[in-house]
Amino acid sequence: MFQLLEGLFNGISIGSVLLIAALGLAIVFGLMGVINLAHGELMMLGAYTTFVVQNVFKLLGEPWFNLYILFAVPLSFILAAGVGWLLEKGVIRYLYGRPLETLLATWGVSLILQQFVRSVSWGFLIVIVEFCLLFFGGIWLLIRRPNWQKIRQWAIATLLPISLGLAIGTGSLLGKISQTAGLIKPWFSARNVDVTAPGWLRGGLPLGNFQLPYSRIFIIVLTTICLVGIYWFLNRSSWGLRIRAVTQNRSMSSCLGIPTAQVDALTFAIGSGLAGIAGCAITLLGSVGPNTGQNYIIDTFMVVVVGGVGNLLGTILAALAIGILSYLIGSGTFALLLTPVEFFQPVTDFFTFFASTSMAKVMIFALIIAFLQVKPSGIFAQKGRTAEG
């Protein structure tokens, strides 16, 4: 019984991480129909933000270090939301209604973000800032000219190679003269990094012969807070009303004066910010690296599909079910529970074969495929004009 309770608790904590990430994906996918393959990398950015905040608070000493997680959560949300907002403004906005191009573009963005984390250094940052100042600064100056529309294409075609060339030249120069200054040394590189939990999240709550880790309890509480916040925002705020209106009928919402472009950008930013919070949570479960997001993106999409696109309750049920089943099967808890009964020996051998993380995912995939044969629209199918469209 204690093994089962521990397995359920650990499964709920894993499902909670999936739920935070899937909430953002469900909102974005439900509103805009965008399959964002860079969602996992937004989680990764949230994880690295937590790592950086932890290192800063280490310099402040022990009393402050225990509070770093309270600052890391909002900062992870803000950074990931900002990157998501830029992604929507700079890429996705021009690809609405073209799912294949959106899929490829977000996949490319995910690769860029992975390589950015591996390569980012002070020199790399200087090159990026220089390029942005030259290119976007030049555009900002020229856009004020009355004949901007006539020279727009010519200006971009001229400024882009000049800015890029000067930035690359600066990067090459820094690489030659800064060997001793450390400007080109990567901040993170390709290795995984570890985040140390604050003192009040170490240890656990005794339960028989087991302990319920405080870090996992914190993840569950954090997920609950995010759920309450999203529910309040969508159902009690004016922008939440606009988001729900655009989800139901984009054309009619536009006719009524709702700024659909701003709604899209805000929705994408909120969904990305939730991914950042999920990234902060996974730092309490283990080490993180540039490929961390790839370990969660498939599970997150499974949660959205099984729960029903854009349905909050369905997303909650699907996340918890997938998290609990993944842990109970992968940790061998099912096999241990059935071992004492000889009658169930074939079933015990079956679950023992799948008692690993990779094989548990195979079984979960098979179960989801079987479930979608019965309910192809997920637990809760879409209703109303969205479903009819």
Side-chain angles (χ1 to χ4, degrees):
M1 181 58 68
F2 284 120
Q3 287 177 339
L4 179 60
L5 289 175
E6 185 190 31
L8 288 173
F9 176 79
N10 289 331
I12 290 173
S13 65
I14 294 172
S16 298
V17 175
L18 291 178
L19 178 55
I20 301 178
L23 275 177
L25 201 60
I27 294 171
V28 170
F29 194 23
L31 175 67
M32 297 180 283
V34 172
I35 301 176
N36 180 19
L37 291 183
H39 198 76
E41 276 57 49
L42 295 171
M43 292 177 62
M44 178 262 295
L45 290 179
Y48 273 99
T49 301
T50 305
F51 174 72
V52 172
V53 172
Q54 170 209 242
N55 289 339
V56 171
F57 274 73
K58 275 183 179 178
L59 301 176
L60 300 178
E62 186 61 33
W64 287 100
F65 178 76
N66 287 329
L67 300 176
Y68 84 83
I69 196 71
L70 302 179
F71 291 86
V73 171
L75 287 175
S76 298
F77 178 88
I78 292 170
L79 178 68
V83 173
W85 184 82
L86 291 174
L87 178 59
E88 196 279 335
K89 288 283 189 181
V91 179
I92 293 176
R93 172 163 296 187
Y94 303 101
L95 300 174
Y96 287 137
R98 292 148 62 184
L100 181 59
E101 287 88 340
T102 305
L103 195 71
L104 293 173
T106 53
W107 179 60
V109 170
S110 73
L111 297 179
I112 291 172
L113 290 176
Q114 289 178 38
Q115 192 57 45
F116 173 80
V117 168
R118 294 189 187 101
S119 306
V120 64
S121 62
W122 288 114
F124 190 71
L125 201 62
I126 290 171
V127 170
I128 292 177
V129 170
E130 180 185 0
F131 172 79
C132 291
L133 288 175
L134 292 173
F135 181 72
F136 294 107
I139 294 293
W140 181 77
L141 290 174
L142 291 174
I143 204 172
R144 298 172 176 272
R145 295 174 60 90
N147 62 338
W148 162 246
Q149 291 300 329
K150 295 181 179 179
I151 66 170
R152 181 173 179 272
Q153 293 184 349
W154 173 84
I156 293 175
T158 304
L159 282 173
L160 184 60
I162 293 176
S163 303
L164 192 61
L166 290 174
I168 292 174
T170 301
S172 177
L173 184 62
L174 288 174
K176 292 179 180 178
I177 66 174
S178 63
Q179 297 294 334
T180 57
L183 287 179
I184 61 173
K185 181 181 179 181
W187 293 348
F188 311 114
S189 72
R191 63 183 177 86
N192 284 10
V193 296
D194 294 311
V195 175
T196 305
W200 55 280
L201 287 181
R202 298 171 196 164
L205 186 67
L207 182 65
N209 296 327
F210 302 102
Q211 279 191 337
L212 304 181
Y214 290 132
S215 58
R216 292 181 181 268
I217 295 175
F218 175 78
I219 291 173
I220 294 173
V221 172
L222 180 63
T223 303
T224 304
I225 294 173
C226 289
L227 271 175
V228 173
I230 288 297
Y231 180 83
W232 178 88
F233 177 76
L234 291 177
N235 292 279
R236 295 290 184 269
S237 68
S238 59
W239 279 103
L241 177 62
R242 294 185 182 103
I243 289 175
R244 288 188 290 122
V246 173
T247 303
Q248 285 293 314
N249 194 317
R250 177 179 292 272
S251 301
M252 183 58 71
S253 300
S254 180
C255 292
L256 292 174
I258 294 176
T260 56
Q262 293 182 27
V263 168
D264 289 340
L266 176 64
T267 304
F268 208 90
I270 292 174
S272 302
L274 289 171
I277 295 178
C280 180
I282 63 177
T283 59
L284 300 176
L285 299 177
S287 60
V288 294
N291 297 320
T292 295
Q294 298 299 311
N295 299 329
Y296 289 89
I297 186 65
I298 301 300
D299 292 340
T300 306
F301 272 112
M302 286 194 301
V303 169
V304 174
V305 173
V306 172
V309 176
N311 189 283
L312 189 61
L313 180 59
T315 303
I316 296 171
L317 295 177
L320 294 179
I322 290 174
I324 291 172
L325 284 175
S326 296
Y327 185 84
L328 291 179
I329 296 171
S331 64
T333 304
F334 275 152
L336 288 173
L337 292 173
L338 297 173
T339 298
V341 184
E342 261 185 58
F343 179 75
F344 292 116
Q345 189 59 42
V347 182
T348 303
D349 294 338
F350 175 79
F351 280 111
T352 302
F353 176 76
F354 285 95
S356 66
T357 303
S358 57
M359 292 305 294
K361 283 196 174 186
V362 173
M363 179 177 278
I364 295 297
F365 274 128
L367 291 174
I368 288 174
I369 291 171
F371 173 78
L372 293 178
Q373 300 305 308
V374 181
K375 294 190 67 100
S377 298
I379 298 174
F380 297 105
Q382 287 183 326
K383 297 179 181 179
R385 293 186 180 92
T386 307
E388 293 169 5

